[in-house]
């Protein structure tokens, strides 16, 4: 009889303790969710108050991608174009982490991505989008960084030629395959980029 009471007591104790832990877990999850929503609201408000990027900033970032400039010594970033992206998005280098800056850069990019027009000698698309410039200058790091780290949306048509970046990559792959010289490394690089972009949801212009 005594052992039955002990077992019954233990069963009730375990049940109550499980419920308490469940409630504590729910509270923790709810608290984290609320904090995340507050952070997103703050970032959205900061982005709304962020001024429109200047013509000089658009020109600077084109030049920084074209010349592959490294970031300044005091910056925690790797390349100069990243510093400019952050400034254009009102993200604070050295104060905000990548996750915070990413949301700001994404919102800025979605507003002004068609304005990132670059014109340099030898490019396939004069006055084309900065994504195309990065490929023409052998600086595909920009595309990789934009897609993998900043998760920027590439589903837009370049006003200059009406084509998306995956349109451009497909055409370049086809063009290189017809080349009389050995460009297998470039074909492989572009095929990998194309696969990455498609895996991230990038579309051809005909599908937009």
């Amino acid at each position: 009889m005594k052992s039955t009471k002990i077992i019954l007591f233990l069963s009730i104790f375990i049940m109550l303790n499980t419920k308490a832990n469940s409630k504590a877990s729910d509270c923790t999850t709810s608290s984290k969710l609320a904090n995340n929503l507050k952070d997103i609201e703050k970032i959205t408000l900061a982005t709304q108050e962020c001024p429109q990027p200047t013509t000089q900033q658009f020109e600077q970032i084109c030049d920084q991608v074209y010349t592959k400039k490294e970031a300044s010594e005091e910056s925690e970033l790797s390349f100069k174009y990243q510093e400019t992206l952050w400034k254009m998005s009102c993200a604070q280098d050295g104060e905000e982490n990548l996750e915070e800056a990413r949301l700001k850069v994404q919102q800025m990019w979605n507003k002004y991505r068609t304005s990132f027009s670059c014109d340099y000698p030898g490019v396939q698309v004069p006055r084309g989008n900065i994504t195309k410039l990065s490929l023409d200058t052998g600086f595909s790091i920009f595309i990789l960084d934009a897609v993998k780290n900043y998760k920027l949306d590439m589903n837009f048509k370049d006003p200059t030629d009406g084509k998306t970046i995956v349109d451009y990559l497909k055409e370049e792959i086809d063009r290189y395959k017809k080349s009389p010289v050995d460009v297998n490394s470039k074909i492989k690089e572009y095929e990998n980029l194309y696969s990455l972009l498609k895996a991230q949801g990038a579309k051809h212009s005909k599908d937009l």
Side-chain angles (χ1 to χ4, degrees):
M1 188 72 171
K2 186 175 181 181
S3 60
T4 303
K5 288 183 178 179
I6 292 172
I7 292 170
L8 180 61
F9 171 78
L10 287 174
S11 298
I12 294 171
F13 176 79
I14 291 170
M15 182 175 66
L16 291 174
N17 191 50
T18 301
K19 287 184 177 179
N21 287 337
S22 177
K23 287 181 180 179
S25 177
D26 289 344
C27 288
T28 301
T29 302
S30 299
S31 178
K32 285 181 179 179
L33 180 60
N35 288 335
N36 288 338
L37 288 173
K38 285 180 181 178
D39 289 341
I40 291 171
E41 286 175 1
K42 287 180 183 177
I43 290 170
T44 300
L45 180 61
T47 304
Q48 289 172 346
E49 295 174 349
C50 189
Q52 180 175 338
T54 64
T55 300
Q56 184 181 21
Q57 286 177 319
F58 284 119
E59 291 174 349
Q60 282 177 342
I61 198 166
C62 285
D63 180 70
Q64 290 156 3
V65 167
Y66 184 77
T67 57
K68 310 174 182 65
K69 286 184 180 177
E70 294 183 0
S72 54
E73 290 185 5
E74 62 270 17
S75 173
E76 296 182 1
L77 301 170
S78 301
F79 293 97
K80 198 72 179 176
Y81 78 81
Q82 293 167 332
E83 291 184 67
T84 303
L85 267 182
W86 282 44
K87 287 178 183 176
M88 295 169 84
S89 310
C90 294
Q92 304 298 315
D93 185 9
E95 295 181 20
E96 293 178 297
N97 58 35
L98 177 60
E99 186 176 352
E100 293 169 324
R102 179 190 294 127
L103 291 172
K104 291 183 177 182
V105 172
Q106 286 172 350
Q107 292 186 47
M108 183 278 296
W109 175 260
N110 287 340
K111 279 186 181 180
Y112 305 110
R113 58 194 177 183
T114 57
S115 298
F116 283 82
S117 174
C118 306
D119 193 14
Y120 285 85
V123 296
Q124 294 295 317
V125 185
R127 298 181 299 280
N129 190 262
I130 192 170
T131 53
K132 294 169 184 174
L133 172 74
S134 70
L135 297 178
D136 284 346
T137 55
F139 193 56
S140 57
I141 286 174
F142 178 85
I143 293 279
L144 291 169
D145 191 27
V147 175
K148 297 184 76 172
N149 293 327
Y150 292 94
K151 304 186 187 307
L152 301 185
D153 185 1
M154 293 295 164
N155 283 322
F156 66 96
K157 297 177 184 179
D158 185 344
T160 303
D161 61 1
K163 297 173 182 176
T164 67
I165 188 61
V166 289
D167 287 333
Y168 180 75
L169 276 166
K170 182 68 169 60
E171 289 179 357
E172 286 297 281
I173 291 168
D174 292 341
R175 184 173 70 86
Y176 278 123
K177 284 181 176 179
K178 296 175 184 176
S179 174
V181 298
D182 183 6
V183 285
N184 285 331
S185 60
K186 180 61 70 176
I187 292 171
K188 186 65 176 174
E189 177 191 355
Y190 278 19
E191 285 178 338
N192 288 339
L193 283 171
Y194 181 86
S195 297
L196 171 65
L197 284 161
K198 291 293 288 181
Q200 296 296 324
K203 299 177 181 179
H204 288 278
S205 56
K206 64 182 178 62
D207 298 321
L208 293 179

